Short mmCIF file of all heavy atoms in Angstrom, two decimals:
data_model
loop_
_atom_site.label_atom_id
_atom_site.label_comp_id
_atom_site.label_asym_id
_atom_site.label_seq_id
_atom_site.Cartn_x
_atom_site.Cartn_y
_atom_site.Cartn_z
N GLU D 1032 -3.38 5.23 9.20
CA GLU D 1032 -3.53 6.68 8.76
C GLU D 1032 -2.25 7.15 8.15
O GLU D 1032 -1.14 6.92 8.77
CB GLU D 1032 -3.81 7.49 10.00
CG GLU D 1032 -4.06 9.09 9.45
CD GLU D 1032 -4.52 9.77 10.72
OE1 GLU D 1032 -3.73 9.97 11.75
OE2 GLU D 1032 -5.60 10.34 10.66
N ILE D 1033 -2.16 7.56 6.86
CA ILE D 1033 -1.08 7.90 6.18
C ILE D 1033 -1.33 9.51 5.87
O ILE D 1033 -2.15 9.97 5.44
CB ILE D 1033 -1.19 7.28 4.77
CG1 ILE D 1033 -0.94 5.71 4.82
CG2 ILE D 1033 0.13 7.89 3.92
CD1 ILE D 1033 -1.34 4.90 3.58
N LEU D 1034 -0.34 10.28 6.57
CA LEU D 1034 -0.46 11.65 6.49
C LEU D 1034 0.56 12.23 5.48
O LEU D 1034 1.63 11.77 5.45
CB LEU D 1034 -0.15 12.28 7.79
CG LEU D 1034 -1.18 11.77 8.94
CD1 LEU D 1034 -0.52 12.44 10.40
CD2 LEU D 1034 -2.54 12.16 8.72
N VAL D 1035 0.12 13.10 4.67
CA VAL D 1035 0.98 13.82 3.60
C VAL D 1035 1.02 15.31 3.99
O VAL D 1035 0.00 15.98 3.86
CB VAL D 1035 0.39 13.60 2.27
CG1 VAL D 1035 1.39 14.44 1.20
CG2 VAL D 1035 0.28 12.13 1.79
N TYR D 1036 2.10 15.74 4.56
CA TYR D 1036 2.35 17.13 5.05
C TYR D 1036 2.99 17.76 3.79
O TYR D 1036 3.97 17.30 3.21
CB TYR D 1036 3.31 17.17 6.17
CG TYR D 1036 2.70 16.67 7.45
CD1 TYR D 1036 2.69 15.38 7.78
CD2 TYR D 1036 2.03 17.64 8.35
CE1 TYR D 1036 2.18 14.86 8.95
CE2 TYR D 1036 1.51 17.12 9.46
CZ TYR D 1036 1.54 15.72 9.88
OH TYR D 1036 1.13 15.34 11.01
N GLY D 1037 2.41 18.90 3.48
CA GLY D 1037 2.91 19.74 2.35
C GLY D 1037 2.34 21.27 2.23
O GLY D 1037 1.80 21.65 3.17
N ALA D 1038 2.57 21.77 1.20
CA ALA D 1038 2.12 23.16 0.92
C ALA D 1038 1.82 23.45 -0.56
O ALA D 1038 2.21 22.58 -1.47
CB ALA D 1038 3.16 24.22 1.42
N GLU D 1039 1.10 24.46 -0.85
CA GLU D 1039 0.77 24.69 -2.19
C GLU D 1039 2.04 25.03 -2.94
O GLU D 1039 2.19 24.65 -4.11
CB GLU D 1039 -0.13 25.97 -2.28
CG GLU D 1039 -1.65 25.57 -2.07
CD GLU D 1039 -2.57 26.76 -2.22
OE1 GLU D 1039 -2.28 27.64 -3.23
OE2 GLU D 1039 -3.48 26.99 -1.47
N GLN D 1040 2.82 25.78 -2.41
CA GLN D 1040 4.15 26.18 -3.00
C GLN D 1040 5.07 24.98 -2.87
O GLN D 1040 5.26 24.44 -1.96
CB GLN D 1040 4.81 27.43 -2.34
CG GLN D 1040 6.12 27.82 -2.94
CD GLN D 1040 6.63 29.03 -2.03
OE1 GLN D 1040 5.96 29.72 -1.43
NE2 GLN D 1040 7.88 29.31 -2.46
N ILE D 1041 5.75 24.67 -4.11
CA ILE D 1041 6.71 23.49 -4.06
C ILE D 1041 8.01 23.98 -3.34
O ILE D 1041 8.48 25.05 -3.40
CB ILE D 1041 7.08 23.07 -5.61
CG1 ILE D 1041 5.73 22.45 -6.29
CG2 ILE D 1041 8.27 22.15 -5.60
CD1 ILE D 1041 6.00 22.13 -7.64
N CYS D 1042 8.52 23.01 -2.48
CA CYS D 1042 9.70 23.43 -1.77
C CYS D 1042 10.83 23.77 -2.66
O CYS D 1042 10.98 23.17 -3.71
CB CYS D 1042 10.06 22.42 -0.82
SG CYS D 1042 11.07 20.90 -1.28
N ALA D 1043 11.68 24.71 -2.13
CA ALA D 1043 12.71 25.27 -2.99
C ALA D 1043 13.71 24.11 -3.52
O ALA D 1043 14.23 24.23 -4.65
CB ALA D 1043 13.64 26.30 -2.21
N SER D 1044 13.94 23.22 -2.71
CA SER D 1044 14.86 22.05 -3.13
C SER D 1044 14.20 20.93 -3.99
O SER D 1044 14.79 19.92 -4.34
CB SER D 1044 15.47 21.35 -1.88
OG SER D 1044 16.11 22.40 -1.13
N CYS D 1045 12.88 21.21 -4.20
CA CYS D 1045 12.02 20.19 -4.79
C CYS D 1045 11.48 20.65 -6.27
O CYS D 1045 10.50 20.16 -6.75
CB CYS D 1045 10.84 19.79 -3.96
SG CYS D 1045 11.34 19.11 -2.41
N VAL D 1046 12.21 21.55 -6.89
CA VAL D 1046 11.96 22.03 -8.22
C VAL D 1046 11.91 20.85 -9.19
O VAL D 1046 12.58 19.94 -9.06
CB VAL D 1046 12.75 23.15 -8.60
CG1 VAL D 1046 12.56 23.63 -10.06
CG2 VAL D 1046 12.91 24.27 -7.54
N ASN D 1047 10.92 20.91 -10.12
CA ASN D 1047 10.71 19.76 -11.15
C ASN D 1047 10.08 18.61 -10.46
O ASN D 1047 9.98 17.58 -11.20
CB ASN D 1047 12.00 19.37 -11.78
CG ASN D 1047 12.59 20.58 -12.52
OD1 ASN D 1047 11.87 21.42 -12.97
ND2 ASN D 1047 13.96 20.59 -12.60
N LEU D 1048 9.57 18.57 -9.29
CA LEU D 1048 8.93 17.51 -8.59
C LEU D 1048 7.43 17.89 -8.58
O LEU D 1048 7.10 19.04 -8.62
CB LEU D 1048 9.47 17.16 -7.36
CG LEU D 1048 10.77 16.62 -7.06
CD1 LEU D 1048 11.17 16.44 -5.69
CD2 LEU D 1048 10.86 15.33 -7.88
N PRO D 1049 6.61 16.83 -8.48
CA PRO D 1049 5.08 17.15 -8.40
C PRO D 1049 4.76 18.00 -7.07
O PRO D 1049 5.68 17.92 -6.03
CB PRO D 1049 4.47 15.73 -8.32
CG PRO D 1049 5.48 14.75 -8.71
CD PRO D 1049 6.63 15.43 -8.44
N SER D 1050 3.67 18.63 -7.20
CA SER D 1050 3.26 19.48 -5.84
C SER D 1050 2.85 18.47 -4.84
O SER D 1050 2.60 17.33 -4.96
CB SER D 1050 2.04 20.40 -6.26
OG SER D 1050 0.87 19.57 -6.42
N SER D 1051 2.83 19.00 -3.57
CA SER D 1051 2.35 18.13 -2.48
C SER D 1051 0.99 17.61 -2.66
O SER D 1051 0.74 16.36 -2.39
CB SER D 1051 2.46 19.03 -1.10
OG SER D 1051 3.67 19.42 -0.97
N MET D 1052 0.06 18.37 -3.22
CA MET D 1052 -1.31 17.87 -3.42
C MET D 1052 -1.35 16.89 -4.60
O MET D 1052 -2.06 15.85 -4.44
CB MET D 1052 -2.22 19.08 -3.93
CG MET D 1052 -3.65 18.60 -3.94
SD MET D 1052 -4.34 17.83 -2.60
CE MET D 1052 -4.76 19.24 -1.55
N ASP D 1053 -0.49 16.95 -5.59
CA ASP D 1053 -0.41 15.96 -6.73
C ASP D 1053 0.21 14.71 -6.21
O ASP D 1053 -0.34 13.61 -6.48
CB ASP D 1053 0.46 16.48 -7.82
CG ASP D 1053 -0.10 17.57 -8.69
OD1 ASP D 1053 -1.40 17.70 -8.60
OD2 ASP D 1053 0.55 18.25 -9.39
N THR D 1054 1.10 14.80 -5.16
CA THR D 1054 1.71 13.67 -4.53
C THR D 1054 0.67 12.92 -3.73
O THR D 1054 0.53 11.60 -3.73
CB THR D 1054 2.95 14.03 -3.80
OG1 THR D 1054 3.93 14.64 -4.54
CG2 THR D 1054 3.60 12.79 -3.02
N TYR D 1055 -0.07 13.68 -3.01
CA TYR D 1055 -1.11 13.12 -2.04
C TYR D 1055 -2.11 12.24 -2.96
O TYR D 1055 -2.42 11.19 -2.63
CB TYR D 1055 -1.82 14.22 -1.45
CG TYR D 1055 -3.28 14.04 -1.02
CD1 TYR D 1055 -3.41 13.18 0.23
CD2 TYR D 1055 -4.31 14.56 -1.65
CE1 TYR D 1055 -4.78 12.96 0.60
CE2 TYR D 1055 -5.66 14.42 -1.22
CZ TYR D 1055 -5.85 13.48 -0.14
OH TYR D 1055 -7.20 13.20 0.25
N GLU D 1056 -2.55 12.91 -4.15
CA GLU D 1056 -3.61 12.36 -4.82
C GLU D 1056 -3.04 11.03 -5.58
O GLU D 1056 -3.67 9.98 -5.59
CB GLU D 1056 -4.12 13.27 -6.00
CG GLU D 1056 -5.05 14.34 -5.38
CD GLU D 1056 -5.35 15.52 -6.32
OE1 GLU D 1056 -4.73 15.49 -7.36
OE2 GLU D 1056 -6.09 16.36 -5.95
N TRP D 1057 -1.84 11.13 -6.13
CA TRP D 1057 -0.99 9.96 -6.61
C TRP D 1057 -0.88 8.83 -5.71
O TRP D 1057 -1.19 7.67 -5.97
CB TRP D 1057 0.22 10.50 -7.27
CG TRP D 1057 1.29 9.43 -7.58
CD1 TRP D 1057 1.31 8.59 -8.74
CD2 TRP D 1057 2.42 9.09 -6.76
NE1 TRP D 1057 2.34 7.79 -8.60
CE2 TRP D 1057 3.05 8.06 -7.53
CE3 TRP D 1057 2.91 9.51 -5.71
CZ2 TRP D 1057 4.28 7.65 -7.08
CZ3 TRP D 1057 4.15 8.98 -5.18
CH2 TRP D 1057 4.76 8.03 -5.87
N LEU D 1058 -0.37 9.13 -4.46
CA LEU D 1058 -0.24 8.20 -3.47
C LEU D 1058 -1.48 7.48 -3.07
O LEU D 1058 -1.49 6.18 -2.86
CB LEU D 1058 0.31 9.03 -2.28
CG LEU D 1058 1.00 8.15 -1.11
CD1 LEU D 1058 2.09 7.40 -1.73
CD2 LEU D 1058 1.58 9.10 -0.04
N GLU D 1059 -2.62 8.18 -2.84
CA GLU D 1059 -3.87 7.56 -2.47
C GLU D 1059 -4.38 6.57 -3.56
O GLU D 1059 -4.74 5.41 -3.29
CB GLU D 1059 -4.87 8.60 -2.29
CG GLU D 1059 -6.14 8.16 -1.72
CD GLU D 1059 -7.18 9.26 -1.37
OE1 GLU D 1059 -7.22 10.30 -2.04
OE2 GLU D 1059 -7.73 9.16 -0.25
#
Side-chain angles (χ1 to χ4, degrees):
E1032 185 175 57
I1033 302 161
L1034 303 174
V1035 179
Y1036 289 85
E1039 278 187 42
Q1040 181 181 345
I1041 294 174
C1042 85
S1044 301
C1045 303
V1046 178
N1047 299 326
L1048 293 178
S1050 72
S1051 296
M1052 185 56 79
D1053 288 344
T1054 299
Y1055 156 76
E1056 291 169 349
W1057 163 78
L1058 195 58
E1059 189 170 39

